[in-house]
């Protein structure tokens, strides 16, 4: 019941191993989260599906935003919600990212009467196949219009949306942000995250990957304690965000776990990244750096909504944050991704760090201090330069200020 038999379609972890689903309320009786484990090798994080309970004026029932793997356990959890609130009436694929798209068709087959909605610009590689061939046939999905005023969906009385779409050269980047009005919830996929200092519950259900990642060498004892789990989680997050953090290097000595050596000082990077609202460096450098003006125009539109919480598809949710915090995270992102770009300050002050959380006595950081993390950014910056030179990554014209 916990397995995903179609995992070879995108052979990421946990593969054929049990894929536990955790359900929890984001807003009582109105918004639910469903999390599973997701990643590659031993770098495992969480991936989230969000389910909204629609009001009678929106047709009632459930709307699913960004499905996860349709395991028997997961589908049974949705069936329980259907008994309480009505059937799944709408399923939304809000992105073109393959790690989200791969679950859309198999999940939708369990809810044959639902309407299917997809973000525009869907594509596949190496053959750009119609979406109907990717697990939907014979059903068809409706494409969300770029302008929500042109959409005829009945759920628009409960939800508004805004789409970020631009060319990356070979393919577009697309993300549809949804705003649930009654709960003031902003739903996004990969555009922004909050990395908690504690590993998510779904990741520690089987902590073996964390314990292995926590090792500094093969002989290093790693008892299953909260401290060791946190150490493994910190290294996991750094890998997931930078691909090759500054303090990790390849080693041919088998004494090092996975032939990787962690040098002293990696904890300093983790201290700067944990408990922070920010744009993932992979998205920041390889995607948003290609179209900083377009990205900030989208941010301006999103910030017109009076949201007070953000629900991304990875790491922590809900994040207690509003337009002010959202904008500051993106200003720091654009400055760090493309320092020669101009950030419009008319919408708010420059990004600062250690801002008070407006919703509790706790504090969290906003935006990564990229100057202090340049060593961690090195691989991504070099990769971006290579991709731009070869034309693989290329943003729209007029997005850059001439490099000196």
């Amino acid at each position: 019941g916990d397995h995903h038999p179609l995992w070879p379609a995108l052979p990421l972890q946990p593969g054929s191993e049990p894929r536990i689903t955790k359900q929890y309320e984001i807003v009582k009786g109105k918004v639910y989260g469903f999390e599973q484990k997701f990643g590659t090798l031993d770098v495992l994080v969480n991936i989230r599906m969000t389910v909204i309970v629609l009001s009678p004026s929106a047709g009632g029932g459930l709307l699913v935003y960004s499905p996860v793997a349709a395991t028997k356990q997961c589908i049974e959890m949705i069936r329980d919600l259907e008994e309480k609130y009505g059937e799944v009436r709408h399923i939304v694929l809000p992105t073109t990212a393959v790690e989200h798209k791969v679950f859309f068709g198999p999940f939708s087959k369990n809810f044959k009467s639902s309407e299917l909605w997809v973000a525009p610009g869907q594509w596949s590689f190496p053959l750009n196949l119609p979406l109907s061939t990717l697990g939907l046939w014979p059903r068809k999905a409706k494409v969300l219009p770029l302008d929500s005023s042109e959409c005829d969906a009945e759920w628009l009385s409960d939800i508004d949306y805004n789409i970020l779409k631009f060319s990356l050269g070979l393919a577009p980047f697309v993300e549809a942000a949804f705003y649930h009005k009654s709960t003031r919830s902003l739903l996004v996929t990969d555009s922004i995250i909050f990395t908690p200092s504690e590993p998510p519950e779904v990741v520690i259900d089987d902590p073996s990957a964390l314990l292995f990642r926590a090792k500094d060498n093969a002989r290093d004892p790693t008892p299953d304690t909260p401290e060791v789990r946190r150490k493994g989680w910190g290294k996991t997050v750094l890998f997931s965000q930078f691909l090759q953090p500054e303090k990790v290097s390849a080693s041919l000595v088998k004494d090092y776990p996975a032939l990787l050596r962690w040098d002293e000082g990696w904890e300093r990077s983790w201290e700067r990244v944990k408990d922070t609202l920010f744009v993932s460096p992979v998205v920041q450098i390889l995607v948003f750096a290609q179209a900083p003006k377009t990205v900030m125009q989208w941010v301006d539109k999103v910030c017109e909504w009076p949201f007070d919480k953000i629900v991304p598809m990875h790491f922590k949710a809900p994040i207690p944050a509003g337009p002010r915090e959202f904008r500051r995270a993106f200003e720091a992102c654009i400055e760090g991704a493309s320092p020669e770009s101009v950030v419009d300050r008319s919408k708010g002050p420059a990004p600062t760090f250690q801002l008070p959380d407006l919703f509790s006595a706790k504090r969290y950081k906003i935006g990564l201090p990229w100057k202090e993390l340049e060593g961690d950014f090195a691989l991504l910056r070099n990769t971006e330069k290579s991709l731009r030179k070869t034309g693989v990554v290329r943003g729209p014209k007029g997005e850059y200020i001439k490099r000196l």
Side-chain angles (χ1 to χ4, degrees):
D2 303 334
H3 296 268
H4 181 50
L6 299 177
W7 71 270
L10 185 66
L12 296 176
Q13 298 294 350
S16 60
E17 297 299 314
R19 193 179 299 245
I20 303 297
T21 303
K22 300 287 185 181
Q23 176 186 343
Y24 60 99
E25 282 188 315
I26 294 174
V27 178
K28 187 173 179 59
K30 293 189 175 182
V31 183
Y32 293 83
F34 295 80
E35 292 187 14
Q36 294 175 352
K37 192 155 52 176
F38 171 85
T40 181
L41 300 177
D42 63 327
V43 181
L44 298 175
V45 299
N46 58 330
I47 187 169
R48 178 179 297 106
M49 167 177 71
T50 307
V51 177
I52 293 174
V53 178
L54 296 171
S55 68
S57 64
L62 304 172
L63 180 144
V64 176
Y65 180 92
S66 194
V68 291
T71 64
K72 183 179 178 182
Q73 179 197 22
C74 178
I75 298 304
E76 287 176 350
M77 289 176 169
I78 298 294
R79 297 296 184 205
D80 289 342
L81 280 189
E82 285 187 314
E83 288 187 12
K84 201 170 183 179
Y85 300 112
E87 66 181 1
V88 171
R89 301 192 62 249
H90 305 278
I91 303 174
V92 180
L93 175 63
T95 177
T96 54
V98 65
E99 69 270 20
H100 297 285
K101 181 160 64 176
V102 71
F103 300 125
F104 184 64
F107 184 91
S108 300
K109 286 185 175 180
N110 292 276
F111 305 96
K112 298 186 185 303
S113 63
S114 61
E115 277 195 314
L116 309 180
W117 301 86
V118 299
Q122 298 295 330
W123 61 280
S124 59
F125 182 84
L127 296 176
N128 195 10
L129 301 172
L131 192 65
S132 59
T133 65
L134 303 178
L136 296 183
W137 191 88
R139 298 167 72 188
K140 291 185 178 180
K142 295 183 178 181
V143 177
L144 291 169
L146 282 174
D147 186 342
S148 64
S149 66
E150 298 176 2
C151 183
D152 62 357
E154 60 182 340
W155 45 260
L156 282 172
S157 61
D158 281 9
I159 299 165
D160 197 2
Y161 71 86
N162 207 296
I163 295 175
L164 173 61
K165 182 177 186 288
F166 59 87
S167 171
L168 278 174
L170 291 181
F173 174 86
V174 185
E175 175 162 336
F178 272 40
Y179 173 62
H180 187 229
K181 302 170 189 176
S182 69
T183 64
R184 297 175 66 184
S185 301
L186 174 66
L187 277 58
V188 295
T189 50
D190 299 314
S191 59
I192 197 167
I193 56 175
F194 184 106
T195 48
S197 54
E198 298 287 339
E201 183 182 356
V202 72
V203 173
I204 62 176
D205 188 75
D206 174 7
S208 57
L210 291 180
L211 302 181
F212 178 77
R213 176 52 59 211
K215 287 176 175 286
D216 291 321
N217 60 67
R219 294 183 297 274
D220 191 17
T222 50
D224 187 5
T225 66
E227 182 180 4
V228 172
R229 289 182 178 187
R230 282 192 289 269
K231 181 179 179 181
W233 175 242
K235 290 181 175 182
T236 295
V237 172
L238 291 179
F239 251 125
S240 71
Q241 298 308 302
F242 297 106
L243 304 186
Q244 184 180 336
E246 180 182 20
K247 297 299 183 180
V248 69
S249 57
S251 172
L252 296 178
V253 180
K254 62 182 179 181
D255 281 350
Y256 292 104
L259 301 181
L260 295 174
R261 184 179 72 247
W262 288 83
D263 297 325
E264 288 186 14
W266 69 267
E267 297 94 341
R268 287 194 294 272
S269 294
W270 174 227
E271 285 298 321
R272 293 180 174 98
V273 170
K274 72 178 183 180
D275 295 325
T276 303
L277 178 69
F278 64 97
V279 175
S280 168
V282 175
V283 177
Q284 174 185 1
I285 303 300
L286 302 184
V287 181
F288 290 169
Q290 315 312 313
K293 292 180 182 177
T294 298
V295 170
M296 290 309 294
Q297 288 167 358
W298 175 76
V299 169
D300 288 344
K301 293 176 182 176
V302 169
C303 287
E304 292 175 3
W305 295 324
F307 58 92
D308 62 13
K309 66 185 72 65
I310 304 173
V311 184
M313 300 301 102
H314 300 284
F315 298 103
K316 177 181 176 177
I319 307 164
R324 176 171 172 262
E325 291 76 26
F326 187 79
R327 184 187 305 283
R328 290 188 176 196
F330 273 89
E331 288 177 348
C333 159
I334 296 303
E335 286 187 341
S338 187
E340 71 279 11
S341 297
V342 174
V343 174
D344 182 4
R345 296 263 177 246
S346 64
K347 305 293 184 180
T352 56
F353 306 104
Q354 292 290 1
L355 289 174
D357 177 355
L358 302 180
F359 301 87
S360 73
K362 296 181 179 179
R363 298 163 69 87
Y364 65 78
K365 305 183 289 292
I366 299 179
L368 293 182
W370 53 271
K371 290 182 180 179
E372 300 173 31
L373 293 167
E374 269 307 311
D376 296 294
F377 273 96
L379 174 68
L380 290 171
R381 293 202 192 280
N382 291 334
T383 301
E384 190 261 353
K385 288 177 183 177
S386 298
L387 293 175
R388 200 184 280 194
K389 281 181 181 178
T390 58
V392 174
V393 167
R394 183 180 65 254
K397 290 182 179 180
E399 289 283 347
Y400 313 111
I401 294 173
K402 186 177 180 180
R403 294 176 186 269
L404 300 177

